[in-house]
Amino acid sequence: MLTLTSGAVQVIRTVTANPELPPETGIRIEPGNDGSDALRLSVASSPEAGDQIVEEEGARVYLESNVATLLDDKTLDAEVDQQGDVAFTIAEGGQPAAT
């Protein structure tokens, strides 16, 4: 199952903390639309049918079923740069690799 670093938990909780959003809001990871191996990440108000749900310390990640298999033994990390932009990375064996 995908694991979340403390950085990812913090960023996801910050992104989904808007009081106007439903309490089950999380981040959804699904295949990109361009046919490549790229993944698409978006804010989702709830999981879609068939999604695997990863929850840690109030941070929720919804994984499309094929993506859940792909990321089964991976770690999701996130950082915010000086401009306030968020960068999510996926790591194998604890070493983040850019996504």
Side-chain angles (χ1 to χ4, degrees):
M1 178 177 282
L2 178 72
T3 57
L4 309 178
T5 66
S6 59
V9 167
Q10 182 178 8
V11 169
I12 293 167
R13 288 174 55 185
T14 299
V15 168
T16 61
N18 184 333
E20 295 179 13
L21 296 173
E24 60 276 355
T25 298
I27 299 296
R28 185 163 196 269
I29 303 175
E30 60 191 333
N33 291 335
D34 60 3
S36 72
D37 290 337
L39 299 176
R40 187 172 73 174
L41 190 139
S42 61
V43 175
S45 59
S46 63
E48 292 186 13
D51 281 358
Q52 181 183 87
I53 301 169
V54 177
E55 185 171 359
E56 190 168 323
E57 298 176 32
R60 289 177 195 84
V61 178
Y62 305 127
L63 302 170
E64 186 269 345
S65 60
N66 292 326
V67 170
T69 302
L70 178 69
L71 302 180
D72 186 46
D73 59 347
K74 309 288 189 290
T75 300
L76 181 67
D77 192 15
E79 294 181 356
V80 179
D81 67 17
Q82 292 177 340
Q83 291 78 30
D85 295 324
V86 176
F88 283 92
T89 56
I90 296 172
E92 286 190 61
Q95 298 300 316
T99 58

